[in-house]
Amino acid sequence: MAKVITFGEIMLRLSTPGYLRFSQSKQLDATFGGGEANVAVSLANYGIDTEFVTRLPKNDIAQACLKDLRSYGVGTSHIIYGGDRLGIYFLEIGAVSRPSKVIYDRAGSSVSTIEPGMIDWDKVFEGADWFHWTGITPAISEGAAQVCLEAIKVANKKGITVSCDLNYRKNLWKYGKTASEVMPEMVQGCDIILGNEEDAEKVFGIKPEGFDATATGGEVDQKRFQSVGQQLMAKFPKAKKVIITLRGSINANHNTWGGVLWDGKTLYQSSRYDITHIVDRVGGGDSFMGGLIYGLLTYEGDDQKALNFATVASCLKHTVFGDYNQVTVEEIERMMKGDASGRVSR
C-alpha cells in the first residue's frame, strides 16, 4: 500500500449554524480543518496509509484535534509539540448572492512559529511514496516556508513524488515576502501541480488568454487551460502533470465544477457538474486533491479516470458539512458511472 505524507496547519473551525450571519448567531459549531489535513482525511477514508505532520501546542484543544484526526484513520505519530496556540478560523456560510466569509485568527499559532530543524524529515519519509503540501503553508510565516522547503528537498533526494496545491491566499502573506518570491523555489521540486483558475496567475503571472474567472456565469471553456499547463511545465520542468480545477460561480449556492489535466502531451477533461445546492464548499479543492492522489495511485496509467475520480469526489464534498470529505470510494465510483440521482440507498 502506498504511504502519503502531508504537512501544514490544522485549525479549529468555528462556523455559524445554517446560513446565519456572524451578527445573528448566538453559537458556533466547532470542528477542525486545514488544507493538508483535509487531504489526509480524504486519503485515509479511501484506505490509503496517511500521515499528517504539523506542530501543535500542548493543550486540551490540540488533544481534541488529535483525537479527531485519529478517528478518521490519519496517522499523527510525527506531529511535534510547541508554541502557544492552535490557529482558528471563523466561517459564515453564504447564500445566493451573499458570499461566504472567512475570518482568520491564526497569528502566533504553533505552526507559524516553527523553525528549520524541528522536524526530522528523513525519519518522517521512511517508507513514504508521496509528499503533499499547499501554498497556504509558506504563506503562514517564513519559518513555515523554510520547513516546508526542507521537506521538499528531502523528498526529492529520496525520489518521493511531491505534489502541491498552489492555493493562493492573499490575506495570509503578511511577513514581508510575497508568494511570487517564495513559491518558485518550492514548486521547482514538484512532480504534480494543482491550482484553480486563478492561482497560477496570482502567483506566477500565468493565465489563459481571454478568460475572466469573475465573469463566467457558470460557463467555463476547459480547453483554454491547456496553455496554463504548458506554461507551468515550461517554468517547472520537473512537473509531470498540471491540473486545474474550474469553478463556475452562478451564486453562493449554485456552482458548476470540473477540471483538466495536462501531462505534457494530452489535455484530459472531466465532465462538468452542475452543483445546484451547495451544503459547504470549504475544502472543495482539498477534496479534489485527495481524490486526485488516490486516483493517480490506484488507476496508475489512466489519467482520465484519476481526473474523473477527483472531480466527482470534490463534487460530492460540496454536499458534506465541514472541511473533511466523508464520502466513500464506492459512492464516488457509482457517480462516475452516471448515477447522480441522489435516490435513497436501501
Side-chain angles (χ1 to χ4, degrees), residues 253-312:
N253 298 105
H254 185 184
N255 289 180
T256 61
W257 184 250
V260 297
L261 183 154
W262 173 251
D263 68 357
K265 295 180 180 179
T266 303
L267 181 72
Y268 297 93
Q269 301 182 63
S270 76
S271 297
R272 286 200 65 77
Y273 292 92
D274 196 25
I275 310 172
T276 57
H277 179 73
I278 296 174
V279 172
D280 193 338
R281 64 165 280 181
V282 176
D286 305 322
S287 64
F288 186 100
M289 189 74 233
L292 181 70
I293 295 173
Y294 174 85
L296 292 174
L297 288 170
T298 306
Y299 312 127
E300 190 173 356
D302 192 340
D303 286 352
Q304 183 66 64
K305 192 170 183 180
L307 176 65
N308 292 347
F309 187 94
T311 307
V312 171

Tab-separated table of all heavy atoms in Angstrom, residues 253-312:
chain	number	residue	atom	x	y	z
A	253	ASN	N	-24.829	29.346	-3.726
A	253	ASN	CA	-25.410	28.012	-3.573
A	253	ASN	C	-25.331	27.177	-4.849
A	253	ASN	O	-25.618	25.979	-4.815
A	253	ASN	CB	-26.886	28.107	-3.168
A	253	ASN	CG	-27.077	28.793	-1.842
A	253	ASN	OD1	-27.493	29.942	-1.801
A	253	ASN	ND2	-26.755	28.119	-0.755
A	254	HIS	N	-24.984	27.789	-5.958
A	254	HIS	CA	-25.064	27.116	-7.250
A	254	HIS	C	-23.779	27.358	-8.035
A	254	HIS	O	-23.498	28.479	-8.449
A	254	HIS	CB	-26.277	27.640	-8.022
A	254	HIS	CG	-26.521	26.942	-9.316
A	254	HIS	ND1	-27.516	27.311	-10.193
A	254	HIS	CD2	-25.909	25.866	-9.906
A	254	HIS	CE1	-27.503	26.520	-11.252
A	254	HIS	NE2	-26.528	25.638	-11.109
A	255	ASN	N	-22.973	26.306	-8.185
A	255	ASN	CA	-21.726	26.374	-8.941
A	255	ASN	C	-21.698	25.282	-9.992
A	255	ASN	O	-22.395	24.264	-9.877
A	255	ASN	CB	-20.513	26.164	-8.029
A	255	ASN	CG	-20.223	27.307	-7.084
A	255	ASN	OD1	-19.270	27.235	-6.321
A	255	ASN	ND2	-21.020	28.360	-7.097
A	256	THR	N	-20.906	25.498	-11.029
A	256	THR	CA	-20.528	24.393	-11.908
A	256	THR	C	-19.102	24.005	-11.534
A	256	THR	O	-18.329	24.814	-11.008
A	256	THR	CB	-20.598	24.795	-13.392
A	256	THR	OG1	-19.687	25.865	-13.648
A	256	THR	CG2	-22.004	25.207	-13.764
A	257	TRP	N	-18.741	22.755	-11.834
A	257	TRP	CA	-17.456	22.244	-11.327
A	257	TRP	C	-16.862	21.247	-12.317
A	257	TRP	O	-17.570	20.401	-12.864
A	257	TRP	CB	-17.684	21.561	-9.983
A	257	TRP	CG	-16.443	21.068	-9.312
A	257	TRP	CD1	-16.064	19.776	-9.126
A	257	TRP	CD2	-15.412	21.857	-8.708
A	257	TRP	NE1	-14.867	19.706	-8.457
A	257	TRP	CE2	-14.434	20.973	-8.189
A	257	TRP	CE3	-15.208	23.227	-8.570
A	257	TRP	CZ2	-13.292	21.412	-7.534
A	257	TRP	CZ3	-14.070	23.665	-7.916
A	257	TRP	CH2	-13.132	22.759	-7.406
A	258	GLY	N	-15.570	21.379	-12.544
A	258	GLY	CA	-14.870	20.447	-13.425
A	258	GLY	C	-13.375	20.658	-13.303
A	258	GLY	O	-12.901	21.411	-12.445
A	259	GLY	N	-12.619	19.999	-14.172
A	259	GLY	CA	-11.171	20.145	-14.126
A	259	GLY	C	-10.515	19.595	-15.372
A	259	GLY	O	-11.133	18.857	-16.151
A	260	VAL	N	-9.256	19.987	-15.555
A	260	VAL	CA	-8.456	19.478	-16.668
A	260	VAL	C	-7.102	19.011	-16.140
A	260	VAL	O	-6.618	19.492	-15.104
A	260	VAL	CB	-8.243	20.546	-17.765
A	260	VAL	CG1	-9.567	20.954	-18.381
A	260	VAL	CG2	-7.493	21.770	-17.227
A	261	LEU	N	-6.509	18.070	-16.857
A	261	LEU	CA	-5.186	17.559	-16.521
A	261	LEU	C	-4.331	17.576	-17.785
A	261	LEU	O	-4.735	17.036	-18.817
A	261	LEU	CB	-5.286	16.141	-15.946
A	261	LEU	CG	-3.995	15.461	-15.468
A	261	LEU	CD1	-4.314	14.415	-14.394
A	261	LEU	CD2	-3.210	14.786	-16.610
A	262	TRP	N	-3.161	18.201	-17.692
A	262	TRP	CA	-2.221	18.273	-18.805
A	262	TRP	C	-0.981	17.471	-18.438
A	262	TRP	O	-0.366	17.725	-17.399
A	262	TRP	CB	-1.856	19.729	-19.104
A	262	TRP	CG	-0.775	19.912	-20.127
A	262	TRP	CD1	0.496	20.345	-19.896
A	262	TRP	CD2	-0.861	19.660	-21.535
A	262	TRP	NE1	1.211	20.402	-21.067
A	262	TRP	CE2	0.405	19.975	-22.091
A	262	TRP	CE3	-1.870	19.205	-22.380
A	262	TRP	CZ2	0.676	19.846	-23.451
A	262	TRP	CZ3	-1.596	19.075	-23.735
A	262	TRP	CH2	-0.355	19.399	-24.259
A	263	ASP	N	-0.634	16.471	-19.254
A	263	ASP	CA	0.524	15.626	-18.948
A	263	ASP	C	1.723	15.909	-19.854
A	263	ASP	O	2.684	15.137	-19.897
A	263	ASP	CB	0.147	14.145	-19.040
A	263	ASP	CG	-0.170	13.704	-20.472
A	263	ASP	OD1	-0.160	14.554	-21.396
A	263	ASP	OD2	-0.421	12.495	-20.671
A	264	GLY	N	1.652	17.029	-20.557
A	264	GLY	CA	2.728	17.388	-21.465
A	264	GLY	C	2.441	17.023	-22.903
A	264	GLY	O	3.080	17.536	-23.829
A	265	LYS	N	1.453	16.146	-23.109
A	265	LYS	CA	1.095	15.717	-24.462
A	265	LYS	C	-0.410	15.805	-24.714
A	265	LYS	O	-0.844	16.165	-25.809
A	265	LYS	CB	1.553	14.270	-24.694
A	265	LYS	CG	3.067	14.080	-24.669
A	265	LYS	CD	3.425	12.623	-24.910
A	265	LYS	CE	4.942	12.411	-24.881
A	265	LYS	NZ	5.293	10.973	-25.082
A	266	THR	N	-1.176	15.440	-23.698
A	266	THR	CA	-2.628	15.331	-23.861
A	266	THR	C	-3.337	16.164	-22.813
A	266	THR	O	-2.918	16.191	-21.639
A	266	THR	CB	-3.073	13.864	-23.729
A	266	THR	OG1	-2.376	13.072	-24.695
A	266	THR	CG2	-4.576	13.731	-23.948
A	267	LEU	N	-4.410	16.853	-23.205
A	267	LEU	CA	-5.264	17.555	-22.262
A	267	LEU	C	-6.471	16.666	-21.952
A	267	LEU	O	-7.297	16.399	-22.826
A	267	LEU	CB	-5.749	18.886	-22.840
A	267	LEU	CG	-6.638	19.705	-21.892
A	267	LEU	CD1	-5.801	20.296	-20.758
A	267	LEU	CD2	-7.381	20.799	-22.646
A	268	TYR	N	-6.554	16.199	-20.714
A	268	TYR	CA	-7.698	15.406	-20.265
A	268	TYR	C	-8.714	16.350	-19.629
A	268	TYR	O	-8.357	17.234	-18.849
A	268	TYR	CB	-7.267	14.348	-19.252
A	268	TYR	CG	-6.304	13.327	-19.819
A	268	TYR	CD1	-4.922	13.495	-19.705
A	268	TYR	CD2	-6.771	12.188	-20.474
A	268	TYR	CE1	-4.030	12.562	-20.227
A	268	TYR	CE2	-5.893	11.249	-20.999
A	268	TYR	CZ	-4.525	11.455	-20.870
A	268	TYR	OH	-3.650	10.521	-21.395
A	269	GLN	N	-9.985	16.149	-19.961
A	269	GLN	CA	-11.050	16.987	-19.424
A	269	GLN	C	-12.068	16.132	-18.682
A	269	GLN	O	-12.465	15.078	-19.162
A	269	GLN	CB	-11.761	17.737	-20.551
A	269	GLN	CG	-10.866	18.646	-21.372
A	269	GLN	CD	-11.656	19.381	-22.433
A	269	GLN	OE1	-12.551	20.182	-22.118
A	269	GLN	NE2	-11.349	19.122	-23.700
A	270	SER	N	-12.478	16.615	-17.521
A	270	SER	CA	-13.541	15.924	-16.793
A	270	SER	C	-14.895	16.356	-17.339
A	270	SER	O	-15.000	17.337	-18.085
A	270	SER	CB	-13.466	16.278	-15.310
A	270	SER	OG	-13.978	17.596	-15.095
A	271	SER	N	-15.932	15.636	-16.953
A	271	SER	CA	-17.291	16.135	-17.170
A	271	SER	C	-17.470	17.376	-16.309
A	271	SER	O	-16.783	17.554	-15.302
A	271	SER	CB	-18.319	15.080	-16.757
A	271	SER	OG	-18.195	13.920	-17.551
A	272	ARG	N	-18.391	18.245	-16.698
A	272	ARG	CA	-18.715	19.391	-15.843
A	272	ARG	C	-20.003	19.084	-15.091
A	272	ARG	O	-20.974	18.586	-15.663
A	272	ARG	CB	-18.870	20.668	-16.665
A	272	ARG	CG	-17.534	21.208	-17.135
A	272	ARG	CD	-17.603	22.673	-17.507
A	272	ARG	NE	-17.899	23.551	-16.389
A	272	ARG	CZ	-17.011	23.902	-15.458
A	272	ARG	NH1	-15.775	23.411	-15.485
A	272	ARG	NH2	-17.351	24.711	-14.483
A	273	TYR	N	-19.978	19.378	-13.798
A	273	TYR	CA	-21.113	19.064	-12.934
A	273	TYR	C	-21.807	20.342	-12.491
A	273	TYR	O	-21.165	21.350	-12.193
A	273	TYR	CB	-20.639	18.256	-11.724
A	273	TYR	CG	-20.160	16.875	-12.107
A	273	TYR	CD1	-18.816	16.643	-12.398
A	273	TYR	CD2	-21.053	15.822	-12.218
A	273	TYR	CE1	-18.375	15.381	-12.786
A	273	TYR	CE2	-20.626	14.551	-12.593
A	273	TYR	CZ	-19.289	14.346	-12.879
A	273	TYR	OH	-18.864	13.100	-13.267
A	274	ASP	N	-23.102	20.265	-12.445
A	274	ASP	CA	-23.930	21.394	-12.020
A	274	ASP	C	-24.335	21.143	-10.577
A	274	ASP	O	-25.193	20.297	-10.296
A	274	ASP	CB	-25.161	21.476	-12.933
A	274	ASP	CG	-25.868	22.811	-12.834
A	274	ASP	OD1	-25.214	23.797	-12.467
A	274	ASP	OD2	-27.082	22.854	-13.137
A	275	ILE	N	-23.707	21.857	-9.653
A	275	ILE	CA	-23.999	21.676	-8.228
A	275	ILE	C	-25.010	22.736	-7.839
A	275	ILE	O	-24.667	23.902	-7.615
A	275	ILE	CB	-22.716	21.799	-7.376
A	275	ILE	CG1	-21.607	20.914	-7.942
A	275	ILE	CG2	-23.005	21.419	-5.922
A	275	ILE	CD1	-20.255	21.115	-7.271
A	276	THR	N	-26.264	22.348	-7.757
A	276	THR	CA	-27.342	23.327	-7.600
A	276	THR	C	-27.677	23.623	-6.142
A	276	THR	O	-28.409	24.576	-5.862
A	276	THR	CB	-28.613	22.826	-8.298
A	276	THR	OG1	-28.980	21.544	-7.762
A	276	THR	CG2	-28.394	22.702	-9.793
A	277	HIS	N	-27.159	22.818	-5.220
A	277	HIS	CA	-27.411	23.103	-3.796
A	277	HIS	C	-26.148	22.772	-3.013
A	277	HIS	O	-25.904	21.611	-2.679
A	277	HIS	CB	-28.596	22.291	-3.264
A	277	HIS	CG	-28.858	22.541	-1.804
A	277	HIS	ND1	-29.412	23.712	-1.341
A	277	HIS	CD2	-28.603	21.786	-0.706
A	277	HIS	CE1	-29.501	23.661	-0.021
A	277	HIS	NE2	-29.020	22.505	0.389
A	278	ILE	N	-25.348	23.772	-2.730
A	278	ILE	CA	-24.091	23.572	-2.008
A	278	ILE	C	-24.340	23.611	-0.510
A	278	ILE	O	-24.871	24.600	0.019
A	278	ILE	CB	-23.060	24.653	-2.403
A	278	ILE	CG1	-22.693	24.526	-3.880
A	278	ILE	CG2	-21.811	24.552	-1.529
A	278	ILE	CD1	-21.802	25.638	-4.396
A	279	VAL	N	-23.957	22.546	0.171
A	279	VAL	CA	-24.056	22.490	1.624
A	279	VAL	C	-22.859	23.202	2.252
A	279	VAL	O	-22.991	23.998	3.184
A	279	VAL	CB	-24.132	21.031	2.111
A	279	VAL	CG1	-24.047	20.950	3.638
A	279	VAL	CG2	-25.412	20.378	1.612
A	280	ASP	N	-21.665	22.932	1.736
A	280	ASP	CA	-20.432	23.529	2.272
A	280	ASP	C	-19.344	23.391	1.215
A	280	ASP	O	-18.936	22.286	0.882
A	280	ASP	CB	-20.024	22.796	3.559
A	280	ASP	CG	-18.950	23.531	4.356
A	280	ASP	OD1	-18.228	24.358	3.756
A	280	ASP	OD2	-18.837	23.276	5.561
A	281	ARG	N	-18.872	24.504	0.688
A	281	ARG	CA	-17.859	24.446	-0.366
A	281	ARG	C	-16.444	24.518	0.188
A	281	ARG	O	-15.474	24.318	-0.553
A	281	ARG	CB	-18.068	25.531	-1.410
A	281	ARG	CG	-17.924	26.945	-0.925
A	281	ARG	CD	-17.782	27.927	-2.094
A	281	ARG	NE	-16.430	27.963	-2.627
A	281	ARG	CZ	-16.034	28.728	-3.619
A	281	ARG	NH1	-16.897	29.527	-4.214
A	281	ARG	NH2	-14.791	28.730	-4.041
A	282	VAL	N	-16.272	24.816	1.482
A	282	VAL	CA	-14.928	24.860	2.074
A	282	VAL	C	-14.326	23.463	2.019
A	282	VAL	O	-14.973	22.478	2.384
A	282	VAL	CB	-14.986	25.374	3.523
A	282	VAL	CG1	-13.590	25.326	4.156
A	282	VAL	CG2	-15.529	26.791	3.575
A	283	GLY	N	-13.090	23.368	1.565
A	283	GLY	CA	-12.443	22.074	1.417
A	283	GLY	C	-12.690	21.429	0.072
A	283	GLY	O	-12.239	20.302	-0.165
A	284	GLY	N	-13.372	22.141	-0.834
A	284	GLY	CA	-13.662	21.566	-2.152
A	284	GLY	C	-12.397	21.251	-2.933
A	284	GLY	O	-12.264	20.178	-3.531
A	285	GLY	N	-11.451	22.178	-2.935
A	285	GLY	CA	-10.184	21.936	-3.627
A	285	GLY	C	-9.364	20.843	-2.980
A	285	GLY	O	-8.710	20.040	-3.666
A	286	ASP	N	-9.402	20.785	-1.654
A	286	ASP	CA	-8.669	19.739	-0.934
A	286	ASP	C	-9.254	18.359	-1.231
A	286	ASP	O	-8.522	17.375	-1.372
A	286	ASP	CB	-8.716	20.000	0.583
A	286	ASP	CG	-8.202	21.375	0.955
A	286	ASP	OD1	-7.229	21.836	0.326
A	286	ASP	OD2	-8.781	21.996	1.864
A	287	SER	N	-10.579	18.292	-1.340
A	287	SER	CA	-11.207	17.006	-1.661
A	287	SER	C	-10.845	16.576	-3.079
A	287	SER	O	-10.693	15.389	-3.360
A	287	SER	CB	-12.727	17.094	-1.499
A	287	SER	OG	-13.293	18.015	-2.412
A	288	PHE	N	-10.672	17.550	-3.974
A	288	PHE	CA	-10.214	17.237	-5.325
A	288	PHE	C	-8.795	16.677	-5.266
A	288	PHE	O	-8.489	15.662	-5.908
A	288	PHE	CB	-10.257	18.509	-6.185
A	288	PHE	CG	-9.941	18.264	-7.641
A	288	PHE	CD1	-10.954	18.163	-8.568
A	288	PHE	CD2	-8.629	18.144	-8.076
A	288	PHE	CE1	-10.672	17.941	-9.916
A	288	PHE	CE2	-8.328	17.922	-9.408
A	288	PHE	CZ	-9.353	17.816	-10.334
A	289	MET	N	-7.929	17.321	-4.492
A	289	MET	CA	-6.536	16.864	-4.405
A	289	MET	C	-6.461	15.469	-3.793
A	289	MET	O	-5.710	14.617	-4.264
A	289	MET	CB	-5.714	17.848	-3.562
A	289	MET	CG	-4.222	17.592	-3.589
A	289	MET	SD	-3.467	18.089	-5.149
A	289	MET	CE	-2.609	16.588	-5.624
A	290	GLY	N	-7.238	15.229	-2.740
A	290	GLY	CA	-7.256	13.898	-2.142
A	290	GLY	C	-7.715	12.850	-3.140
A	290	GLY	O	-7.136	11.765	-3.249
A	291	GLY	N	-8.753	13.189	-3.913
A	291	GLY	CA	-9.233	12.264	-4.936
A	291	GLY	C	-8.220	12.057	-6.048
A	291	GLY	O	-8.063	10.946	-6.565
A	292	LEU	N	-7.510	13.124	-6.406
A	292	LEU	CA	-6.513	13.026	-7.474
A	292	LEU	C	-5.351	12.117	-7.059
A	292	LEU	O	-4.921	11.253	-7.834
A	292	LEU	CB	-5.986	14.412	-7.829
A	292	LEU	CG	-4.961	14.441	-8.953
A	292	LEU	CD1	-5.615	14.107	-10.290
A	292	LEU	CD2	-4.271	15.802	-9.021
A	293	ILE	N	-4.839	12.320	-5.848
A	293	ILE	CA	-3.733	11.476	-5.377
A	293	ILE	C	-4.175	10.018	-5.351
A	293	ILE	O	-3.459	9.130	-5.817
A	293	ILE	CB	-3.243	11.927	-3.987
A	293	ILE	CG1	-2.626	13.329	-4.075
A	293	ILE	CG2	-2.213	10.937	-3.427
A	293	ILE	CD1	-2.262	13.938	-2.731
A	294	TYR	N	-5.375	9.778	-4.803
A	294	TYR	CA	-5.894	8.399	-4.783
A	294	TYR	C	-5.996	7.852	-6.201
A	294	TYR	O	-5.585	6.719	-6.478
A	294	TYR	CB	-7.265	8.358	-4.112
A	294	TYR	CG	-7.914	6.986	-4.179
A	294	TYR	CD1	-7.609	6.012	-3.230
A	294	TYR	CD2	-8.806	6.663	-5.205
A	294	TYR	CE1	-8.180	4.747	-3.305
A	294	TYR	CE2	-9.375	5.401	-5.286
A	294	TYR	CZ	-9.061	4.448	-4.327
A	294	TYR	OH	-9.613	3.194	-4.417
A	295	GLY	N	-6.547	8.648	-7.113
A	295	GLY	CA	-6.731	8.187	-8.482
A	295	GLY	C	-5.422	7.885	-9.180
A	295	GLY	O	-5.293	6.865	-9.872
A	296	LEU	N	-4.432	8.756	-9.015
A	296	LEU	CA	-3.141	8.539	-9.662
A	296	LEU	C	-2.418	7.320	-9.089
A	296	LEU	O	-1.691	6.623	-9.809
A	296	LEU	CB	-2.265	9.792	-9.526
A	296	LEU	CG	-2.740	11.021	-10.312
A	296	LEU	CD1	-1.878	12.234	-9.983
A	296	LEU	CD2	-2.724	10.755	-11.820
A	297	LEU	N	-2.622	7.060	-7.795
A	297	LEU	CA	-2.001	5.884	-7.173
A	297	LEU	C	-2.754	4.598	-7.529
A	297	LEU	O	-2.142	3.539	-7.699
A	297	LEU	CB	-1.969	6.047	-5.650
A	297	LEU	CG	-0.978	7.065	-5.078
A	297	LEU	CD1	-1.242	7.272	-3.594
A	297	LEU	CD2	0.464	6.608	-5.304
A	298	THR	N	-4.061	4.687	-7.641
A	298	THR	CA	-4.891	3.492	-7.811
A	298	THR	C	-5.110	3.124	-9.276
A	298	THR	O	-5.073	1.945	-9.638
A	298	THR	CB	-6.259	3.702	-7.136
A	298	THR	OG1	-6.051	4.087	-5.769
A	298	THR	CG2	-7.086	2.433	-7.188
A	299	TYR	N	-5.340	4.146	-10.104
A	299	TYR	CA	-5.599	3.893	-11.530
A	299	TYR	C	-4.348	4.244	-12.332
A	299	TYR	O	-4.397	4.991	-13.311
A	299	TYR	CB	-6.776	4.733	-12.021
A	299	TYR	CG	-7.996	4.687	-11.129
A	299	TYR	CD1	-8.581	5.860	-10.662
A	299	TYR	CD2	-8.564	3.479	-10.755
A	299	TYR	CE1	-9.706	5.831	-9.848
A	299	TYR	CE2	-9.695	3.434	-9.943
A	299	TYR	CZ	-10.253	4.622	-9.490
A	299	TYR	OH	-11.368	4.581	-8.686
A	300	GLU	N	-3.218	3.733	-11.891
A	300	GLU	CA	-1.924	4.088	-12.476
A	300	GLU	C	-1.948	3.928	-14.000
A	300	GLU	O	-2.314	2.883	-14.524
A	300	GLU	CB	-0.817	3.222	-11.876
A	300	GLU	CG	0.572	3.680	-12.249
A	300	GLU	CD	1.642	2.897	-11.509
A	300	GLU	OE1	1.298	2.057	-10.654
A	300	GLU	OE2	2.819	3.132	-11.796
A	301	GLY	N	-1.561	5.001	-14.693
A	301	GLY	CA	-1.548	4.961	-16.153
A	301	GLY	C	-2.845	5.408	-16.799
A	301	GLY	O	-2.919	5.554	-18.018
A	302	ASP	N	-3.874	5.638	-15.997
A	302	ASP	CA	-5.166	6.079	-16.539
A	302	ASP	C	-5.480	7.465	-15.970
A	302	ASP	O	-6.240	7.615	-15.008
A	302	ASP	CB	-6.265	5.080	-16.177
A	302	ASP	CG	-7.569	5.328	-16.946
A	302	ASP	OD1	-7.751	6.455	-17.439
A	302	ASP	OD2	-8.395	4.406	-17.027
A	303	ASP	N	-4.870	8.488	-16.559
A	303	ASP	CA	-5.045	9.849	-16.058
A	303	ASP	C	-6.486	10.330	-16.177
A	303	ASP	O	-6.954	11.120	-15.349
A	303	ASP	CB	-4.127	10.810	-16.809
A	303	ASP	CG	-2.665	10.682	-16.388
A	303	ASP	OD1	-2.396	9.960	-15.412
A	303	ASP	OD2	-1.801	11.296	-17.042
A	304	GLN	N	-7.202	9.875	-17.202
A	304	GLN	CA	-8.593	10.293	-17.361
A	304	GLN	C	-9.436	9.797	-16.183
A	304	GLN	O	-10.233	10.552	-15.617
A	304	GLN	CB	-9.165	9.755	-18.671
A	304	GLN	CG	-10.600	10.214	-18.941
A	304	GLN	CD	-10.704	11.712	-19.177
A	304	GLN	OE1	-10.167	12.225	-20.140
A	304	GLN	NE2	-11.400	12.406	-18.290
A	305	LYS	N	-9.242	8.558	-15.799
A	305	LYS	CA	-10.013	8.008	-14.686
A	305	LYS	C	-9.632	8.679	-13.370
A	305	LYS	O	-10.494	8.948	-12.522
A	305	LYS	CB	-9.796	6.488	-14.587
A	305	LYS	CG	-10.784	5.798	-13.647
A	305	LYS	CD	-10.685	4.287	-13.759
A	305	LYS	CE	-11.722	3.603	-12.867
A	305	LYS	NZ	-11.649	2.117	-12.965
A	306	ALA	N	-8.334	8.978	-13.198
A	306	ALA	CA	-7.884	9.670	-11.987
A	306	ALA	C	-8.524	11.052	-11.897
A	306	ALA	O	-8.982	11.481	-10.822
A	306	ALA	CB	-6.363	9.778	-11.980
A	307	LEU	N	-8.565	11.771	-13.028
A	307	LEU	CA	-9.193	13.093	-13.058
A	307	LEU	C	-10.682	12.990	-12.772
A	307	LEU	O	-11.243	13.801	-12.022
A	307	LEU	CB	-8.953	13.739	-14.422
A	307	LEU	CG	-9.628	15.095	-14.655
A	307	LEU	CD1	-9.069	16.153	-13.715
A	307	LEU	CD2	-9.458	15.534	-16.118
A	308	ASN	N	-11.337	12.001	-13.360
A	308	ASN	CA	-12.777	11.818	-13.124
A	308	ASN	C	-13.059	11.540	-11.654
A	308	ASN	O	-14.019	12.071	-11.083
A	308	ASN	CB	-13.308	10.675	-13.984
A	308	ASN	CG	-13.292	10.990	-15.468
A	308	ASN	OD1	-13.106	12.138	-15.866
A	308	ASN	ND2	-13.465	9.966	-16.299
A	309	PHE	N	-12.224	10.693	-11.040
A	309	PHE	CA	-12.414	10.365	-9.625
A	309	PHE	C	-12.289	11.631	-8.780
A	309	PHE	O	-13.111	11.893	-7.881
A	309	PHE	CB	-11.389	9.324	-9.180
A	309	PHE	CG	-11.604	8.807	-7.789
A	309	PHE	CD1	-12.329	7.647	-7.566
A	309	PHE	CD2	-11.090	9.480	-6.684
A	309	PHE	CE1	-12.542	7.167	-6.273
A	309	PHE	CE2	-11.292	9.013	-5.392
A	309	PHE	CZ	-12.021	7.850	-5.188
A	310	ALA	N	-11.257	12.430	-9.045
A	310	ALA	CA	-11.022	13.653	-8.278
A	310	ALA	C	-12.190	14.624	-8.418
A	310	ALA	O	-12.656	15.222	-7.429
A	310	ALA	CB	-9.731	14.310	-8.734
A	311	THR	N	-12.682	14.779	-9.632
A	311	THR	CA	-13.765	15.728	-9.880
A	311	THR	C	-15.050	15.311	-9.179
A	311	THR	O	-15.724	16.134	-8.546
A	311	THR	CB	-14.011	15.863	-11.397
A	311	THR	OG1	-12.783	16.169	-12.055
A	311	THR	CG2	-15.018	16.962	-11.686
A	312	VAL	N	-15.365	14.038	-9.264
A	312	VAL	CA	-16.591	13.546	-8.609
A	312	VAL	C	-16.446	13.595	-7.091
A	312	VAL	O	-17.395	13.968	-6.375
A	312	VAL	CB	-16.924	12.120	-9.090
A	312	VAL	CG1	-18.063	11.523	-8.259
A	312	VAL	CG2	-17.311	12.134	-10.562
